[in-house]
Structure formats: structure tokens, C-alpha cells
Amino acid sequence: MGDHKEQPVRVGAAVRRRRRALELTLAVVAERSGLSVPFLSQVENDRARPSRSSLEKLADALRTTAVELLAAADPAASVDLVRADPAAEDDDFEPRTRSLVRGHHQLHASEFTGDHDAGREFQHRNDELMYVADGAVEIEAEGRAYRLGRGDTLYLTGGVRHRWRATVPDTRVVVVAVAEHIEAVQDRSR
């Protein structure tokens, strides 16, 4: 039994989001696509999976493409295990980066071990959290320097310019961020 199994995507939420963004009713989409209202309702609630032909008709009715709807689809509920790389422990602490989340998700997490280009400045559209798993780092963000040791975290909101460097050998930093393809927006209800 493997650690990772590919799951079917759930296109219903993507269809509903697109339909609502266009301010269309199910009846209008049914008329435009030639599909029935009950079937469209089942698709939106992930109780039915449209065939390729039906998905293309639906995409045309929503003024998009089947590829775009699939790209915006939610993956089915899944669990994905990423195991440590035992071969990496024998690298004499060469700098390396390891992705902790596979696939196209709303969350990205990476582990950085060793040193890296301390002169490189980052500015991400969305929020990120830096966690020092081992060692120590110095992070410069918005003109201030922060020294972090093992177990410390630093939260950066989207748009904050920053750079960082390891200050001791064998440092490991875990960076968790909202994916760049997700548009983080402020809660306007407050």
C-alpha cells in the first residue's frame, strides 16, 4: 500500500463559484448548456460527475473552459504523507530545499536546510510563516532585523519584503505559505 493515492477532483464548487460570479441561476445555465437543472444541482453538490462532453457544455455556458473549471476544482478529501529523505542526511549538510506538500494546494510548505543566498529578497503576495526547526536565523523584514532560534516563528503578511540567512551551521527552517495561485483577501465583514 502506497503513501499517496491520486484522488478525483470535485468540480462542483468550482462550477458553483463561477455560476455565482456571473450571477446566473441554475435554470439559465441549464438553458445555455442543454443540461437539466437537477443534473446541474447534483454536479454543484458533488453528487454527480459530469462526462467530458457535459463538462465542456457547462464550461461554454459559464463562459470559460473545461480546463479552467478543472484547475479551479477542489481535490477530493485526501491525506498525503511526505516522508523524510534518509539519503539527504548523508549530504554533509549541503544546502537543500524539500517540499513538504505535494501537488497543487492552497498551502505550500518547504524545509530549507543549511545556508542559502542571503542576499536574495523575497516578497510574496500572500501570508507566510517561518519556523526555525533547528539552528538559528536572522531575518530582515521591512527594515528591522529579527533573530530567531530553535522553536521560534515569524509571521509575515503578504507584500512584506524580507530576506533571511542561517547564522549557525545545520540550520533547518520550515516555511509555510498560502499558495501564490490563491488570492488572499481581507475580511470585509468587520
Side-chain angles (χ1 to χ4, degrees), residues 131-160:
Y131 169 74
V132 180
D134 285 310
V137 297
E138 185 175 88
I139 302 169
E140 181 186 320
E142 296 296 315
R144 285 189 64 192
Y146 301 88
R147 293 181 188 273
L148 282 69
R150 184 172 187 237
D152 291 341
T153 62
L154 183 71
Y155 179 81
L156 303 160
T157 59
V160 171

Side-chain angles (χ1 to χ4, degrees), residues 93 113-116 132 134-138 147-150 164-173:
F93 297 104
T113 304
D115 211 356
H116 76 110
V132 180
D134 285 310
V137 297
E138 185 175 88
R147 293 181 188 273
L148 282 69
R150 184 172 187 237
W164 66 277
R165 67 183 185 89
T167 57
V168 299
D170 309 335
T171 293
R172 283 189 315 128
V173 176

Side-chain angles (χ1 to χ4, degrees), residues 74-190:
D74 298 329
S78 66
V79 174
D80 189 18
L81 173 63
V82 177
R83 296 210 182 265
D85 182 5
E89 295 174 9
D90 300 328
D91 286 347
D92 294 329
F93 297 104
E94 288 293 316
R96 65 183 174 277
T97 302
R98 179 171 75 103
S99 180
L100 302 175
V101 178
R102 290 187 286 218
H104 192 67
H105 298 287
Q106 295 181 15
L107 177 124
H108 284 292
S110 299
E111 177 185 63
F112 297 89
T113 304
D115 211 356
H116 76 110
D117 181 4
R120 182 172 178 203
E121 186 173 73
F122 299 92
Q123 182 180 25
H124 303 289
R125 177 171 73 176
N126 294 328
D127 299 354
E128 76 178 56
L129 176 88
M130 299 179 78
Y131 169 74
V132 180
D134 285 310
V137 297
E138 185 175 88
I139 302 169
E140 181 186 320
E142 296 296 315
R144 285 189 64 192
Y146 301 88
R147 293 181 188 273
L148 282 69
R150 184 172 187 237
D152 291 341
T153 62
L154 183 71
Y155 179 81
L156 303 160
T157 59
V160 171
R161 292 181 181 277
H162 61 284
R163 70 180 89 227
W164 66 277
R165 67 183 185 89
T167 57
V168 299
D170 309 335
T171 293
R172 283 189 315 128
V173 176
V174 174
V175 177
V176 180
V178 176
E180 287 295 319
H181 70 278
I182 303 297
E183 186 65 47
V185 295
Q186 290 180 322
D187 184 1
R188 293 187 175 92
S189 63
R190 292 181 183 175

Side-chain angles (χ1 to χ4, degrees), residues 11-21 41 43-46:
V11 73
V15 169
R16 183 182 307 108
R17 284 190 299 268
R18 178 70 181 171
R19 178 180 63 79
R20 287 180 176 169
S41 177
V43 167
E44 283 193 2
N45 290 298
D46 289 316

Side-chain angles (χ1 to χ4, degrees), residues 1-50:
M1 180 186 292
D3 292 328
H4 177 72
K5 182 178 178 187
E6 197 63 37
Q7 297 289 329
V9 295
R10 296 178 300 178
V11 73
V15 169
R16 183 182 307 108
R17 284 190 299 268
R18 178 70 181 171
R19 178 180 63 79
R20 287 180 176 169
L22 295 172
E23 299 179 353
L24 299 175
T25 64
L26 281 173
V28 170
V29 175
E31 183 180 318
R32 287 181 179 180
S33 66
L35 303 170
S36 72
V37 171
F39 175 69
L40 293 175
S41 177
Q42 289 180 336
V43 167
E44 283 193 2
N45 290 298
D46 289 316
R47 289 190 303 251
R49 289 181 46 193

Side-chain angles (χ1 to χ4, degrees), residues 45-87:
N45 290 298
D46 289 316
R47 289 190 303 251
R49 289 181 46 193
S51 66
R52 181 179 196 90
S53 172
S54 294
L55 186 60
E56 288 173 0
K57 290 176 185 177
L58 186 52
D60 287 344
L62 295 172
R63 299 185 195 127
T64 189
T65 66
V67 171
E68 288 295 322
L69 285 176
L70 289 171
D74 298 329
S78 66
V79 174
D80 189 18
L81 173 63
V82 177
R83 296 210 182 265
D85 182 5

